Amino acid sequence: MEALKQGGDVLFILLGGVMVLAMHAGFAFLELGTVRKKNQVNALVKILSDFAISTIAYFLVGYTVAYGTSFFVGAEQLAAKNGYELVKFFFLLTFAAAIPAIISGGIAERARFGPQLLATAVIVGLVYPLFEGVSWNHAFGIQGWIQRTTGAEFHDFAGSVVVHAVGGWLALPAVLLLGARANRYRKDGAMSAHPPSNIPFLALGAWILTVGWFGFNVMSAQTLDKVSGLVAVNSLMAMVGGTLAALVLGRNDPGFVHNGPLAGLVAVCAGSDVMHPIGALAVGAIAGAIFVAMFTVAQNRWRIDDVLGVWPLHGLCGLWGGLAAGIFGSKALGGMGGISFGAQAIGSLLGVTWAALSGLLVYGALKFTLGLRLSQEEEYEGADLAIHRIGSTPEREATW
């Protein structure tokens, strides 16, 4: 029976890892459909290359930083318990690799390729695992201090803050340091629309992410005996709430509509195991509203050229999700209880502060050493030809 349980747990978390791995195709197509045609190839290459760099950095350094487990032992030892520690690494790697995939969308169309890969190695190898270890492995005694202070630990079941808010707040300094795309904001106050290149691809990316998210959330239980249908239904309800809020407030705009479910799913991650489904619906709807409102304000009023809106989508909705777990997870609102709003506030603010400062340090250092931005000529030509020497439809382009 023990062997059967071990095998079941390995299969369970492996399937979760595969589902979250598939989400990276969603990141790729969401970015591909949002950027202009001359940057589509770059969007695809970035996501795959970032994942490869993330794997090496997390295997060699990051997983050890977060959990104290090293893979520099014999294969016989690694294969113990059906290799559970290995598939757990694979599952958590797909979370870690989501960080550079999130950042990629914010800095699209004008960032240099090499420096971004270097940033990925530092972020996945060190920056992200340090906060991951604090939140999910009680590193540095911070969770103990939060519990003594508020009566409960910081609770983030599937990464609203640990993954999404950290990714979004890492991206914000990078976006600001890069500056807006050429001609996006003009000196006379006018703005160039820079519309998405392909709405069907954008929608496909959103759907792939949405489906994979059920692996992201449900399989965060990490063992078969802890799986919860509550997590699945709460994820569903938050997705629906985010979609409907974005549909109404975004006035049928397809970009908002297809990011709405993602906003809801980002927000529900933290408390998906403790909320009532109606609470999850409300959390998702509020997240959808946050995304539409803050994307509009950031782009039009503050003139922050965050191409995919990753700061409002992941940074702000992730922060809301961390706080929402402390509100809608309470028994007073039909939740499971055992959480504290004070703990959620401390943990969430700690995460976004760490991410913002780390992003400023990493991308600031790269800007003043290697440089972050393509030249004017390269940006005008497009990242596809400037970096990869081929466009997204080369045969068609050659006939023109």
Side-chain angles (χ1 to χ4, degrees):
M1 291 300 295
E2 182 62 25
L4 185 62
K5 179 185 183 303
Q6 289 177 3
D9 288 343
V10 168
L11 179 60
F12 175 71
I13 198 170
L14 176 61
L15 291 174
V18 170
M19 289 183 73
V20 185
L21 175 62
M23 290 176 68
H24 289 265
F27 282 119
F29 277 94
L30 189 70
E31 184 173 336
L32 183 155
T34 305
V35 300
R36 289 169 293 175
K37 186 175 180 294
K38 62 183 179 179
N39 297 296
Q40 289 181 325
V41 172
N42 183 242
L44 295 171
V45 174
K46 277 194 302 178
I47 300 299
L48 182 56
S49 301
D50 275 334
F51 188 87
I53 295 294
S54 296
T55 300
I56 300 301
Y58 200 62
F59 184 83
L60 296 178
V61 182
Y63 193 76
T64 303
V65 170
Y67 300 102
T69 299
S70 172
F71 295 111
F72 292 98
V73 296
E76 183 178 356
Q77 188 173 342
L78 292 176
K81 296 184 179 180
N82 299 88
Y84 178 79
E85 196 66 39
L86 288 174
V87 291
K88 180 183 176 183
F89 154 77
F90 175 34
F91 179 67
L92 291 171
L93 160 68
T94 59
F95 281 52
I99 301 289
I102 289 168
I103 297 170
S104 174
I107 63 176
E109 301 205 80
R110 75 276 201 201
R112 293 180 61 205
F113 189 50
Q116 171 54 22
L117 293 181
L118 184 57
T120 292
V122 175
I123 288 167
V124 176
L126 187 62
V127 173
Y128 167 75
L130 282 170
F131 187 69
E132 179 186 18
V134 166
S135 301
W136 290 342
N137 198 41
H138 297 88
F140 308 113
I142 293 175
Q143 282 282 31
W145 172 77
I146 292 175
Q147 185 174 33
R148 290 190 299 273
T149 304
T150 66
E153 291 185 351
F154 169 60
H155 182 86
D156 191 354
F157 180 70
S160 286
V161 177
V162 177
V163 178
H164 297 286
V166 166
W169 285 86
L170 276 165
L172 181 60
V175 169
L176 295 175
L177 287 167
L178 268 171
R181 289 167 289 177
N183 298 319
R184 178 73 174 97
Y185 304 113
R186 299 172 186 168
K187 293 181 180 179
D188 61 1
M191 291 188 298
S192 176
H194 285 32
S197 59
N198 195 308
I199 296 298
F201 276 148
L202 186 158
L204 175 63
W207 270 109
I208 294 171
L209 284 165
T210 298
V211 173
W213 223 296
F214 287 85
F216 196 99
N217 284 3
V218 175
M219 270 72 165
S220 285
Q222 296 191 17
T223 56
L224 197 55
D225 60 313
K226 294 178 182 177
V227 67
S228 171
L230 181 65
V231 175
V233 172
N234 281 344
S235 301
L236 175 68
M237 297 299 280
M239 171 205 133
V240 169
T243 303
L244 294 177
L247 174 68
V248 173
L249 297 178
R251 300 179 180 180
N252 306 324
D253 182 289
F256 285 136
V257 172
H258 287 97
N259 276 283
L262 309 184
L265 286 162
V266 164
V268 82
C269 288
S272 57
D273 62 327
V274 294
M275 294 179 187
H276 188 280
I278 294 178
L281 179 68
V283 169
I286 294 170
I290 289 171
F291 174 69
V292 173
M294 292 309 298
F295 180 90
T296 304
V297 168
Q299 293 277 341
N300 298 342
R301 187 176 303 172
W302 297 341
R303 301 196 164 205
I304 299 174
D305 192 16
D306 178 354
V307 180
L308 268 68
V310 299
W311 177 62
L313 180 63
H314 297 275
L316 295 181
C317 291
L319 175 59
W320 159 240
L323 299 175
I327 301 170
F328 291 91
S330 66
K331 289 189 175 181
L333 292 178
M336 299 280 286
I339 44 82
S340 160
F341 180 77
Q344 295 307 113
I346 292 171
S348 299
L349 292 175
L350 179 64
V352 301
T353 301
W354 169 250
L357 292 176
S358 298
L360 184 62
L361 178 62
V362 171
Y363 287 99
L366 286 172
K367 178 175 181 177
F368 292 108
T369 53
L370 301 178
L372 283 177
R373 186 160 181 153
L374 296 172
S375 68
Q376 286 185 326
E377 294 79 7
E378 289 171 330
E379 187 177 348
Y380 178 79
E381 184 180 36
D384 292 359
L385 295 179
I387 298 173
H388 310 289
R389 300 184 180 87
I390 192 168
S392 58
T393 54
E395 183 179 5
R396 182 181 179 188
E397 290 161 4
T399 63
W400 288 2

